[in-house]
Amino acid sequence: MPYELPPLPYAYDALEPVLSAEAMRLHHDRHHKAYVDKLNEALAGHPEFRDAPPEELLKNLAALPEDLRTPVRNHGGGHANHSLYWELLIAPGGEGPPPSLARELERAFGDVETFRRRFTETGVKLFGSGWAWLTVDAGGRLEIMGLPNQDSPLSLGKTPLLLVDVWEHAYYPDYQNRRPDWLSAWWDIVDWAGVAERLDAAEPFTAAQAPAADAIARGDLPG
Ligand code: MN
């Protein structure tokens, strides 16, 4: 089965005024779709991989045939990253972190405000295009990461909990070149309950536990 563009889990105008309906249409219908289309093109000659969720391919880049590694890293990353990103956005004015998540953020970063400040700085300072991430590793440690392009923490053995797109296409229609303004506004559309659920559900994985290439080839994958 070719990969398909998942519909947004809300209306195009649901995130206004933080993100306009016009910006959401462009980002989802054009940019995200382009990653899906290019991933399908790349995998057209490799039907044995087409049933694997893109997340499983990203966990195992080194196990892929050489000609697939870069297209899966870029376009599979673009597809997986955007799919998760839409899920973790919510109409402005939602609740802050639930107590269980707030406790973990305090444990890792001192307090929630310090986490927010350091996360924002990571996004503002990331050179060029990429994403800022909050991840959890196999030992349960939280970490803020800035990764270039469409690189995924999954390829580094970490589970993504929260992410923000700092490619210009993510904010230019509404914020032009003002990335700090975009990041400042973005905090108001974070689905903190969704982040807390991801932390609860995060199953530590190690390279040894990651599915082997032959399992991917058989389509014999969990979940
Ligand atoms: Mn994007």
Side-chain angles (χ1 to χ4, degrees):
M1 279 288 290
Y3 296 103
E4 289 180 10
L5 179 68
L8 282 181
Y10 31 69
Y12 288 101
D13 63 359
L15 307 179
E16 289 187 348
V18 175
L19 287 170
S20 65
E22 182 194 7
M24 289 297 287
R25 271 185 208 284
L26 183 69
H27 198 173
H28 175 269
D29 297 6
R30 304 285 185 83
H31 288 280
H32 187 172
K33 183 170 189 301
Y35 292 114
V36 175
D37 290 346
K38 287 176 184 166
L39 179 62
N40 284 329
E41 281 172 30
L43 292 179
H46 294 274
E48 70 275 27
F49 294 107
R50 284 195 315 194
D51 289 327
E55 291 82 2
E56 297 304 325
L57 300 178
L58 292 166
K59 285 180 190 175
N60 291 281
L61 285 178
L64 294 174
E66 201 173 344
D67 65 320
L68 275 187
R69 281 177 213 159
T70 299
V72 166
R73 181 175 175 176
N74 291 338
H75 307 306
H79 178 28
N81 296 347
H82 286 89
S83 297
L84 179 60
Y85 182 57
W86 309 130
E87 277 179 35
L88 293 175
L89 298 178
I90 196 171
E95 306 262 333
S100 60
L101 175 60
R103 271 196 304 277
E104 290 302 313
L105 292 173
E106 285 160 15
R107 206 159 59 97
F109 305 105
D111 56 63
V112 173
E113 268 318 298
T114 302
F115 160 70
R116 286 173 52 132
R117 182 173 52 72
R118 286 183 49 194
F119 192 96
T120 299
E121 278 173 10
T122 298
V124 168
K125 288 179 179 169
L126 188 76
F127 180 75
S129 297
W131 298 72
W133 301 85
L134 174 67
T135 63
V136 62
D137 70 10
R141 284 177 294 271
L142 301 188
E143 184 181 356
I144 296 168
M145 317 179 79
L147 296 180
N149 305 315
Q150 296 295 349
D151 285 1
S152 169
L154 292 169
S155 305
L156 304 170
K158 321 243 177 180
T159 300
L161 301 177
L162 174 66
L163 69 170
V164 64
D165 196 339
V166 297
W167 283 62
E168 276 195 345
H169 73 229
Y171 59 89
Y172 210 87
D174 294 317
Y175 299 88
Q176 290 79 50
N177 60 331
R178 302 187 306 274
R179 190 190 285 184
D181 289 359
W182 153 235
L183 288 170
S184 169
W186 165 78
W187 287 109
D188 202 31
I189 54 171
V190 171
D191 178 9
W192 287 107
V195 178
E197 279 171 25
R198 288 189 62 76
L199 179 57
D200 288 344
E203 283 178 37
F205 73 81
T206 64
Q209 291 172 308
D214 61 336
I216 295 179
R218 290 196 310 271
D220 180 17
L221 289 161

